[in-house]
Amino acid sequence: MSAASDIAKDHKLAVFPAFHRVADRKVVIAGGGDEAAAKIRLLSETSARLVVVAKTLSPASEAAVATSGAVWIDRLFAPDDLADAALAFAASGKEAADRAVVEAARAAGVPVNAVDRPEICDFYVGALVNRAPVAVAITSTGTGPVLARHIRAKIEAMLPGETGALARIAESLRETIASVFSNGTDRRRYWERFFSGSVADALKLRGEDAARRTAKELIGTREHTGRVTLVGAGPGAEDLLTLRAQRVLQEADVIVHDQLVPDAVIAMGRRDAERVAVGKAKGAHSVTQERINEILVERATRGERVVRLKSGDPMIFSRAGEEIAALEAAGIAYDIVPGVTAALAAASSAKIPLTLRGIASSVVFATGHDRHSNVLPDWANLALSGATVAVYMGRTVAGKVATRLMAAGLPATTPVAVVENAAHADERAFTGRLDDLPELSRRSDVDGAVLIVIGEAVGEAGANAAEPLAPLGALLEAA
């Protein structure tokens, strides 16, 4: 067999995902130990009639039977116990006994699962996310149950607890929507609004009755109400994006994004969502802030759900205030999803405590330039008082910043750190003293986005692979 055939085979499932109908049907669990208890608890999330067959019950199984309402048959398993069963579980913990249950189930035509014995199972039990009537099951085909549980935890966090109630309301309206909206596109647009707009918001904030009223009101509102969400993309690592940001990206009709937002984060949006790049790039003119404001208003006015995706946190050095003012003036609804700002990402990566008892009790977020491109000394007094200063967009003016701070009285020996491309795969960290900072603008090997941290707390950073800020030649020359 060729290597290509082997790869193709590796990508084919050995199982076919399916959901068994068990409502009001008998499901048999053969066994009374802790293995059986786990299955009883899991199956109690269904409306099946549970029958537990075991001579004795462990404390865990006894408690599971009591809370689930299962019927306990106090004896050893017999093949007749499988009569009219929808499913069977061999959970005795003993190989010979479990194999006997499997053989009896197969003879009776009942699908069977043997706990912790994947080689003799007819089906596997996935890690379950229950948002009844919505269910998500994850399986590793018996090879990695811990991995399946980790995936389940992520899905649990992403699916709001109200998901099931939202699905029930949708089911109750399905025939009404089909009769009101004869056009398939209109129906799809209605359900998109239903699941991601005002109905979902009403359910979360005011309960199921309010959500039903909102859903009915929505039927008569043919125009799609636009909305803008300012979303913080964080420093660039996909796993630092908030769960709310991921959800909003999936609901967007159009994503208006900065140049610095990585493609992998933008790709988290809905596949058919339009992407509009508006940020700065080397050698290319950026879209003006005035034009960005116009784009947000224009697209929301069309009835689209717009995500304005910004690096870091949208409320820190990202001109969110100007965009908010434009949306307010146009009467456009908007909300804001925070992100991990560069200072926090850089401090975590470089293991720098931004505050430290007895050393630094405050943090200053500063920018290397004002709106007229002048170096800002306004925060010098705060640095002198012991605050840790995180300087954004300061690479090209690092020398001027250091000169101004030293002229104001901050010691040349004050520890500094520079983090390039914080939280990215190509992140680099540099450490040194305040009088080393002018070297930053001279280094041709540092051309990514940098965050400068200045203050005594930097000297308390944890162990890391930081490089010296001043190259060896500069250090020898200074000596």
Side-chain angles (χ1 to χ4, degrees):
M1 186 178 289
S2 68
S5 297
D6 288 340
I7 293 172
K9 185 178 180 181
D10 287 342
H11 284 79
K12 291 194 177 236
L13 287 168
V15 297
F16 181 78
F19 290 88
H20 292 275
R21 293 181 66 91
V22 296
D24 299 320
R25 298 188 65 189
K26 182 169 75 172
V27 173
V28 176
I29 301 100
D34 290 348
E35 299 90 345
K39 289 295 177 282
I40 297 167
R41 287 193 294 267
L42 180 62
L43 288 160
S44 69
E45 296 189 38
T46 74
S47 55
R49 293 185 292 108
L50 305 185
V51 176
V52 179
V53 184
K55 186 63 179 172
T56 59
L57 296 179
S58 70
S61 280
E62 188 173 359
V65 166
T67 56
S68 68
V71 174
W72 173 32
I73 300 177
D74 180 8
R75 58 169 171 74
L76 296 176
F77 169 80
D80 289 346
D81 294 324
L82 297 169
D84 299 322
L87 298 173
F89 290 83
S92 70
K94 299 175 182 177
E95 184 175 358
D98 285 348
R99 285 186 178 274
V101 173
V102 169
E103 290 172 5
R106 287 177 178 162
V110 177
V112 62
N113 171 275
V115 178
D116 293 333
R117 305 187 199 282
E119 71 282 1
I120 60 173
C121 288
D122 288 337
F123 65 92
Y124 301 118
V125 177
L128 181 65
V129 178
N130 183 0
R131 298 288 187 271
V134 176
V136 180
I138 307 101
T139 183
S140 61
T141 321
T143 60
V146 174
L147 173 61
R149 288 198 293 271
H150 279 294
I151 296 171
R152 180 190 65 184
K154 293 181 179 180
I155 296 174
E156 287 269 12
M158 291 177 66
L159 279 180
E162 304 86 13
T163 300
L166 197 61
R168 289 192 295 273
I169 297 171
E171 174 63 20
S172 70
L173 291 172
R174 189 168 60 175
E175 291 185 5
T176 300
I177 299 306
S179 64
V180 172
F181 298 101
S182 57
N183 182 281
T185 300
D186 289 341
R187 284 198 299 273
R188 179 180 62 81
R189 295 286 283 181
Y190 174 84
W191 289 122
E192 285 177 351
R193 290 188 290 160
F194 177 96
F195 286 112
S196 61
S198 57
V199 180
D201 292 341
L203 179 62
K204 183 176 182 179
L205 298 174
R206 302 192 300 278
E208 194 163 331
D209 289 342
R212 289 183 182 278
R213 288 194 299 271
T214 304
K216 291 176 181 177
E217 292 168 0
L218 201 60
I219 294 173
T221 309
R222 298 301 182 101
E223 290 298 322
H224 185 41
T225 304
R227 187 179 190 87
V228 175
T229 304
L230 308 183
V231 176
E238 303 98 291
D239 58 353
L240 287 179
L241 201 68
T242 66
L243 294 173
R244 183 181 296 179
Q246 292 180 41
R247 177 177 61 81
V248 170
L249 280 168
Q250 279 293 311
E251 297 168 355
D253 297 309
V254 57
I255 300 169
V256 180
H257 63 89
D258 286 343
Q259 192 70 34
L260 290 176
V261 178
D263 291 341
V265 173
I266 299 170
M268 290 182 175
R270 211 175 70 204
R271 287 185 181 179
D272 58 344
E274 183 181 350
R275 274 73 165 162
V276 179
V278 296
K280 295 179 180 179
K282 288 186 178 180
H285 295 292
S286 64
V287 180
T288 66
Q289 185 60 52
E290 290 74 16
R291 180 55 190 149
I292 293 172
N293 297 347
E294 291 171 359
I295 291 171
L296 299 180
V297 172
E298 288 170 2
R299 302 306 292 262
T301 302
R302 292 185 201 173
E304 296 176 323
R305 295 178 73 89
V306 183
V307 164
R308 173 68 174 103
L309 192 59
K310 297 170 172 285
S311 297
D313 183 274
M315 308 304 278
I316 297 179
F317 301 129
S318 71
R319 299 190 175 182
E322 297 171 52
E323 293 171 2
I324 289 171
L327 296 171
E328 291 270 10
I332 302 295
Y334 67 91
D335 55 355
I336 301 163
V337 178
V340 177
T341 189
L344 302 184
S348 297
S349 295
K351 302 180 175 64
I352 300 169
L354 294 177
T355 62
L356 194 62
R357 187 168 56 179
I359 295 178
S361 60
S362 58
V363 183
V364 177
F365 291 171
T367 177
H369 305 268
D370 67 6
R371 65 186 300 177
H372 304 296
S373 297
N374 296 319
V375 178
L376 291 176
D378 301 359
W379 34 264
N381 289 334
L382 294 171
L384 288 169
S385 68
T388 302
V389 178
V391 184
Y392 292 67
M393 300 170 284
R395 180 170 62 87
T396 59
V397 295
K400 294 180 180 179
V401 167
T403 299
R404 298 294 291 269
L405 288 176
M406 288 187 289
L410 197 64
T413 56
T414 302
V416 300
V418 174
V419 181
E420 179 188 22
N421 297 327
H424 290 243
D426 58 348
E427 175 187 291
R428 297 171 71 193
F430 307 87
T431 55
R433 311 180 340 165
L434 184 59
D435 56 0
D436 294 329
L437 203 52
E439 291 296 324
L440 180 61
S441 57
R442 303 184 190 121
R443 294 191 63 148
S444 60
D445 62 326
V446 180
D447 60 358
V450 301
L451 192 288
I452 302 170
V453 186
I454 303 168
E456 293 298 331
V458 176
E460 306 297 324
N464 57 60
E467 305 171 42
L469 178 57
L472 181 59
L475 292 173
L476 292 175
E477 184 178 333

